[in-house]
Amino acid sequence: MASFKLFNNFNTKKKIALIALVILALLLLLGNYNREAIKYYLSGVDDRIALLKSSGSCVSCDLNQGNFKGIDLKGVDLRYANLSGTILSNTNLSGADLSGANLSNTNLSGTILSNTNLSGADLSGANLSNTNLSGTILSNTNLSGADLSGVDLRNKDLTGSNLTGVDLRHIDLTGANLTGVNLSNQDLTGTKLSDGANLNYTNLSGADLSG
């Protein structure tokens, strides 16, 4: 009976050792990914920004209140990331993918957003004054209450975008695609809509088109 117990104990120890070896092997296989994941979940915003700069990708990351001022983030992947309240003034985000990202109340003044994908992004209340939007994808973007002063919106695809509360007075929208945009009751005094703007299904009821 004693020898049988010793055999059982020996087998139990072997099983534990085997399980430990399997876990160790998995950790070694996952290696870099595991370390980066640990770094991300335990790090603060500044550390996550550093990781973004080194890897070029941070999909669905929470970067709320981060400071990216003047940083070169050309071509980064920030799909569905939370960037609300961040400082992105004078940052290079050309060619970046920010589709579905939360950029509400973000300072984007002077930011380079040329050829950037902002489709479906939330830019409500964002400061986009004097921002370069050449080639930027803005379809289905929430721009409600955003500051677009000094922004060139000519020939921009704004299909399905939310422009509620945006000051569009004296803005040149020549060639812009405003399909499905709700501009009802908007003050469009001096706004240029007549030269090639696509107004299919655009709601202009109650809008002030004088000047």
Side-chain angles (χ1 to χ4, degrees):
M1 182 68 68
S3 60
F4 182 73
K5 285 183 179 180
L6 285 172
F7 180 74
N8 277 345
N9 288 337
F10 179 70
N11 281 343
T12 300
K13 289 177 182 179
K14 284 178 67 176
K15 289 176 183 177
I16 293 172
L18 182 59
I19 292 170
L21 285 172
V22 170
I23 293 172
L24 180 60
L26 286 172
L27 289 174
L28 288 172
L29 285 172
L30 292 173
N32 290 332
Y33 170 79
N34 210 44
R35 285 195 292 272
E36 293 301 312
I38 291 171
K39 282 182 184 177
Y40 173 77
Y41 287 110
L42 296 181
S43 64
V45 173
D46 290 339
D47 293 321
R48 294 177 191 176
I49 293 173
L51 284 173
L52 171 62
K53 289 195 292 183
S54 64
S55 67
S57 177
C58 206
V59 178
S60 299
C61 283
D62 185 1
L63 297 165
N64 179 44
Q65 304 297 325
N67 187 351
F68 296 84
K69 185 176 181 179
I71 296 176
D72 186 358
L73 295 175
K74 183 178 180 180
V76 297
D77 187 353
L78 283 166
R79 288 170 295 157
Y80 308 105
N82 180 13
L83 293 158
S84 60
T86 56
I87 300 173
L88 288 162
S89 55
N90 302 309
T91 300
N92 184 2
L93 281 165
S94 58
D97 190 348
L98 291 161
S99 55
N102 181 3
L103 291 154
S104 58
N105 302 306
T106 298
N107 183 1
L108 290 157
S109 178
T111 300
I112 301 172
L113 291 168
S114 54
N115 301 306
T116 300
N117 186 355
L118 288 170
S119 60
D122 183 0
L123 287 156
S124 57
N127 181 2
L128 286 156
S129 58
N130 302 307
T131 299
N132 181 357
L133 294 177
S134 60
T136 304
I137 302 172
L138 292 165
S139 56
N140 301 304
T141 300
N142 182 2
L143 289 163
S144 59
D147 183 356
L148 297 175
S149 56
V151 176
D152 185 1
L153 292 174
R154 291 174 298 174
N155 303 306
K156 294 292 180 295
D157 185 359
L158 293 162
T159 303
S161 293
N162 183 351
L163 295 172
T164 304
V166 176
D167 187 358
L168 294 172
R169 292 173 298 171
H170 305 288
I171 296 293
D172 189 353
L173 290 169
T174 299
N177 189 345
L178 295 163
T179 302
V181 175
N182 183 9
L183 294 175
S184 60
N185 301 310
Q186 289 271 66
D187 185 353
L188 300 175
T189 305
T191 303
K192 197 170 184 179
L193 289 166
S194 58
D195 295 334
N198 188 340
L199 299 174
N200 289 330
Y201 304 105
T202 302
N203 186 353
L204 291 166
S205 59
D208 184 353
L209 297 166
S210 60

